[in-house]
Amino acid sequence: MLASAQETGAVDRNLALEVVRVTEAAALAAARFVGLGYKDGADRAAVEAMRRTFGYLHIRGRVVIGEGERDEAPMLFIGEEVGDGDPDAPELDIAVDPLEGTNLCANGINDALAVVAMAEHGQFLNAPDTYMNKIAVGAVAKGAIDIRRSATHNLAAIAEAKRVRVADLTAVILDRPRHDQLVAEVRKAGVRIRLISDGDVGGALATTDPATGIDVLLGVGGAPEGVLAAAALRCTGGDMQATLQFRSDEERARAERMGIKDHNHVYGIGELASGDVMFAATGVTDGFLLRGVRYTPTGAETSSIVMRSRSGTVRYMATRHHFEGHPIYDRGGQPR
């Protein structure tokens, strides 16, 4: 029995490293579209590359968090089966965003990412494709946040946990009209703000590393992206709380069909993503933590982060790709 358990652990560790192949493939494909103004083309390329590369993984995976329904973009759909499907392969739930920040990629703006999280069955919130109010912090401020309280209260609590002045904090907030009051409150508190046009997974991820200078993510973004952010924060000991923000009766009804009865429930990080979580992200454009794809005469270079909640391991990976003879890409770096 001991040998069997050791073998299972080794498989898990290998998966935590193998999943980065999936995000690298999506990033390499999407990066061909950086700055070209064609977000659907970038998203489609990322989805196709991710779907194809999943086939090389020894898993029986099922997509439970997909992307693209709000803007009718190409997507890895909820319920789609991925992996090689071998009977002896581990059964996993998959959360994906093949291109987090389609507009960022299309316009050549920072912080576009390819993102995947994996966990055992039932460990991710079955999140409807609606909006979600979020507050996310790194490990030092774990336990200090309360989404039911004001931004002013939370900023003071985060500063106390980090043993800094409130004026020393920096918050990430999506640049949206719905956040005008939030931005005004945060500025009144004296906290610096990094407004981002898209990509709040990247904003949440930035709170996990002190080198980014980001202390907290605040505001309303996508619910599927919230689950991905929670997966990353679980791996690093961070914290997150969230509430669903429905925009219509149709969205409320859909949530109820997915098993969500309490529309005002405050979700803790353990409800958003639990169990043994594996998370990987690869930069498409330069961002808080990761460099974007650099193409070279013989291939490309990518920058990725790979994390696992069971061990708390965080790996930064700089990878050189050579396209000739590559099992996934042709010599031009496009998916075969």
Side-chain angles (χ1 to χ4, degrees), residues 47-318:
V47 168
E48 290 174 355
M50 184 171 279
R51 178 178 282 126
R52 183 183 181 100
T53 312
F54 261 126
Y56 291 88
L57 268 62
H58 184 60
I59 61 172
R60 288 179 293 148
R62 181 177 179 271
V63 176
V64 296
I65 299 292
E67 60 85 34
E69 290 182 7
R70 283 192 305 276
D71 54 8
E72 298 182 354
M75 63 183 295
L76 280 151
F77 59 86
I78 293 174
E80 182 171 350
E81 296 180 356
V82 296
D84 63 13
D86 283 356
D88 64 337
E91 187 175 359
L92 298 171
D93 283 353
I94 312 292
V96 301
D97 198 338
L99 182 54
E100 157 74 352
T102 53
N103 289 320
L104 301 177
C105 179
N107 295 314
I109 301 172
N110 285 2
D111 296 310
L113 297 168
V115 184
V116 169
M118 302 195 302
E120 294 177 339
H121 179 65
Q123 301 303 306
F124 291 136
L125 175 70
N126 193 12
D129 190 23
T130 186
Y131 282 172
M132 178 181 278
N133 188 28
K134 312 164 191 176
I135 180 169
V137 293
V140 177
K142 183 177 178 64
I145 56 175
D146 186 346
I147 201 169
R148 296 165 296 187
R149 306 292 294 270
S150 68
T152 303
H153 172 90
N154 278 288
L155 292 168
I158 293 166
E160 182 178 0
K162 303 188 85 165
R163 297 184 178 180
V164 300
R165 299 175 304 166
V166 172
D168 295 330
L169 299 178
T170 300
V172 167
I173 302 174
L174 278 170
D175 189 7
R176 299 287 189 274
R178 63 178 177 265
H179 289 149
D180 287 349
Q181 290 184 350
L182 174 63
V183 167
E185 182 180 355
V186 173
R187 285 175 173 164
K188 185 177 180 180
V191 172
R192 294 167 295 175
I193 297 176
R194 286 281 301 273
L195 289 172
I196 56 175
S197 60
D198 288 285
D200 63 351
V201 173
L205 191 58
T207 69
T208 68
D209 190 332
T212 66
I214 302 302
D215 300 285
V216 58
L217 169 80
L218 295 166
V220 177
E225 291 84 351
V227 174
L228 282 161
L233 290 161
R234 273 289 322 288
C235 295
T236 60
D239 202 2
M240 181 173 173
Q241 292 181 359
T243 57
L244 295 173
Q245 301 284 298
F246 300 110
R247 297 164 295 175
S248 66
D249 290 339
E250 180 181 352
E251 288 188 350
R252 290 184 182 89
R254 184 176 180 216
E256 290 181 1
R257 290 195 297 270
M258 297 173 74
I260 295 172
K261 304 302 182 185
D262 182 357
H263 297 173
N264 299 311
H265 183 71
V266 175
Y267 293 93
I269 189 167
E271 295 173 288
L272 296 166
S274 58
D276 185 11
V277 176
M278 292 167 278
F279 177 93
T282 300
V284 178
T285 58
D286 290 351
F288 290 112
L289 285 176
L290 303 172
R291 288 181 60 182
V293 173
R294 276 19 178 210
Y295 287 103
T296 68
T298 58
E301 297 176 353
T302 57
S303 173
S304 303
I305 188 170
V306 187
M307 303 186 285
R308 186 181 178 207
S309 65
R310 177 177 292 177
S311 61
T313 303
V314 177
R315 290 183 173 89
Y316 289 91
M317 300 177 62

